[in-house]
Amino acid sequence: MTDDEDLILTEALGAVGAAGGGSGGRFGAKFAARRLKKNVHEVELTVGGVSPAEAAGRTADLLLRMGTPVRTAGARPPDGVRVVRALVGGGFGNMNPVLVTVTLTGTGQEATEVRVRGAAKEGLIKQRAGEKTARQVATLLTQHLPTPRG
């Protein structure tokens, strides 16, 4: 697999085209997807009382319930940083694939910084699937991970 968001989303849309279209559905969907702009949104939050490893495990469980995990190749993140990715459904009827990347960074014994990034291809009708999905995942994470004590 690759780390390239555009390629991952293009392949995912090609799979949707193959499932929904006749012959050439995959090719046509991939052809169109390469020309579409991305809707990208990031949400940052801080959770407390859990290590990045534990928070990554809980995040992976949440994203597994929502969609399909994405394995990536390439450089490993630095020590203390965990990255969890998944393709989840977004937009109308959850038919638009959204690549969700959650980066968890330890900021001490009692806190982990979490960055949720949602990226989706946008067609003529702007659904803001990347933005909406990033916000949804961030909200769910705040319900599944403790907030820092202050």
Side-chain angles (χ1 to χ4, degrees):
M1 189 47 92
T2 180
D3 286 335
D4 184 9
E5 278 182 342
D6 286 314
L7 185 57
I8 293 169
L9 291 169
T10 297
E11 291 296 325
L13 283 167
V16 171
S23 63
R26 177 182 303 274
F27 175 77
K30 287 172 67 172
F31 180 81
R34 283 191 285 271
R35 286 144 182 82
L36 296 174
K37 292 182 180 180
K38 272 192 305 190
N39 171 253
V40 177
H41 187 74
E42 292 185 1
V43 178
E44 293 184 9
L45 52 121
T46 303
V47 296
V50 293
S51 68
E54 184 180 347
R58 292 183 187 184
T59 301
D61 289 343
L62 173 69
L63 291 179
L64 184 60
R65 286 191 299 252
M66 295 178 73
T68 305
V70 174
R71 290 195 161 279
T72 57
R76 291 188 56 177
D79 289 340
V81 176
R82 306 274 196 216
V83 178
V84 181
R85 290 180 122 180
L87 277 169
V88 301
F92 180 74
N94 288 333
M95 291 176 48
N96 190 7
V98 179
L99 180 61
V100 176
T101 304
V102 180
T103 306
L104 304 111
T105 307
T107 57
Q109 286 183 311
E110 292 296 318
T112 299
E113 297 235 348
V114 180
R115 185 180 55 173
V116 180
R117 177 181 172 95
K121 294 288 188 168
E122 286 282 313
L124 292 175
I125 300 172
K126 305 299 181 209
Q127 298 182 41
R128 298 185 326 272
E131 178 182 344
K132 290 177 182 177
T133 304
R135 290 181 193 275
Q136 176 189 17
V137 170
T139 299
L140 291 171
L141 284 175
T142 59
Q143 295 170 0
H144 287 80
L145 296 171
T147 55
R149 294 180 207 128

